[in-house]
Amino acid sequence: MMRNHVTPLIAVLAVGATLTACGSNQVPPGPARAADLSGSPAASPTGGAGVALLPGTAKSNNAAAGTGDWATPNGGVATAETRESAERWVQVTAGKAGKLDPVVVNGAGLTLYRFDKDSNKPPVSNCDGDCAATWPPVTVAPAGKVFVAGVKAADVGTIPRPDGSRQVTIGGWPVYRFAKDTKPGDTNGQGVGTTWFGVTPAGGKAGASGGEQPASDASPAPPATSAVLFDDPNFGDGAGSQGVAGAGCRNLSRPGVSSSVAAPGSLKLWAGPDCTGRSKVINGDVADLGTVGFDNAVVSVRLG
């Protein structure tokens, strides 16, 4: 059993359409600190390790092949040979799997779960040993990265594990995979022992009675200074993505093709160039722009 207080992740904004690949530095565990996009941690007065939070997906952030969630794309447990690469980054994305909608999935599309015997206030993991072999904790190296799409940054954190890695939490709940899920859409862990459930973007039980739990931070998001726009709904990378950054009006390099947006704050969408025509303010991530009347209609955005 572990009992540790959550360490909030420090947000690091995207800086454009092309973002740097993940770093692999590992240092002793400690309080989270800021990190730059190259993977080199910023100076910290405590000397603790830093886990960086980046908007978008691993693909839109140019993560290296065979690393992070892609190191174990078919589930199971990372081997000793693949663990270092696997913990360079993880991805948490709001999506759907089977009958669970919404549910959080990782960068390989595998369903993520929460455990009723854990706690979120304070965040505590009670799954170790044989339990962790069946339910691999979603872990990241102390200087690693977490890519976030469709999950509020305020709801994402980490807690240390005995091996020195940090387990990702959503809404304070430690999150896991199920070793018997081997492909996107599998939800074989749902309801196991009446204690395991897919985790929603706010930390609730996916598909459980009562539905989505309220987000921990309901206050309006601050203005975003960057965003990643995806050609597919649900932040899908299959058909491409494009990034914008910097305060002010930004015309898209490929207008009229976006179906979802990942952004660490509020921004304004425009249907015309140079921020003209029809407009809509969004408060952070939108998994389906059709719900706000802007599917395949974004031509420019105003940031900052």
Side-chain angles (χ1 to χ4, degrees), residues 1-3 114-120 122-127 131 173-174 176 192-197 205:
M1 178 185 297
M2 308 187 298
R3 296 186 179 276
R114 50 164 278 176
F115 184 32
D116 278 0
K117 294 184 179 180
D118 287 347
S119 169
N120 72 328
V124 173
S125 170
N126 289 306
C127 181
C131 174
W173 290 96
Y176 308 80
V192 170
T194 66
T195 56
W196 290 93
F197 298 90
K205 299 180 186 180

Side-chain angles (χ1 to χ4, degrees), residues 28-285:
R33 60 177 172 174
D36 63 27
L37 294 179
S38 67
S40 300
S44 169
T46 65
V51 176
L53 178 65
L54 300 175
T57 66
K59 184 174 180 180
S60 69
N61 280 280
N62 292 332
T67 63
D69 295 335
W70 300 334
T72 51
N74 298 316
V77 181
T79 65
E81 293 76 17
T82 62
R83 180 173 173 178
E84 181 177 356
S85 292
E87 290 191 343
R88 288 171 64 180
W89 60 265
V90 298
Q91 179 180 317
V92 291
T93 300
K96 60 179 68 176
K99 296 181 180 179
L100 304 182
D101 183 13
V103 70
V104 179
V105 299
N106 74 0
L110 298 174
T111 304
L112 302 185
Y113 297 88
R114 50 164 278 176
F115 184 32
D116 278 0
K117 294 184 179 180
D118 287 347
S119 169
N120 72 328
K121 293 181 180 180
V124 173
S125 170
N126 289 306
C127 181
D128 208 347
D130 291 342
C131 174
T134 302
W135 302 91
V138 176
T139 57
V140 62
K145 294 179 171 65
V146 179
F147 302 120
V148 180
V151 181
K152 290 183 101 174
D155 289 332
V156 182
T158 65
I159 54 173
R161 292 189 66 86
D163 60 7
S165 64
R166 303 194 71 84
Q167 184 172 2
V168 174
T169 64
I170 298 177
W173 290 96
V175 295
Y176 308 80
R177 290 188 297 102
F178 185 45
K180 295 182 180 179
D181 285 350
T182 60
K183 63 183 184 299
D186 280 354
T187 56
N188 298 309
Q190 179 70 3
V192 170
T194 66
T195 56
W196 290 93
F197 298 90
V199 62
T200 71
K205 299 180 186 180
S209 176
E212 177 83 45
Q213 289 186 350
S216 63
D217 180 10
S219 60
T225 56
S226 65
V228 180
L229 295 93
F230 299 88
D231 295 5
D232 286 348
N234 296 312
F235 319 102
D237 282 325
S241 62
Q242 55 189 314
V244 290
C249 183
R250 293 290 182 267
N251 291 322
L252 299 187
S253 58
R254 295 185 300 111
V257 297
S258 299
S259 293
S260 55
V261 176
S266 62
L267 68 153
K268 196 168 189 177
L269 309 175
W270 296 84
D274 302 317
C275 296
T276 60
R278 185 168 58 93
S279 64
K280 176 71 176 180
V281 174
I282 61 172
N283 194 33
D285 297 344

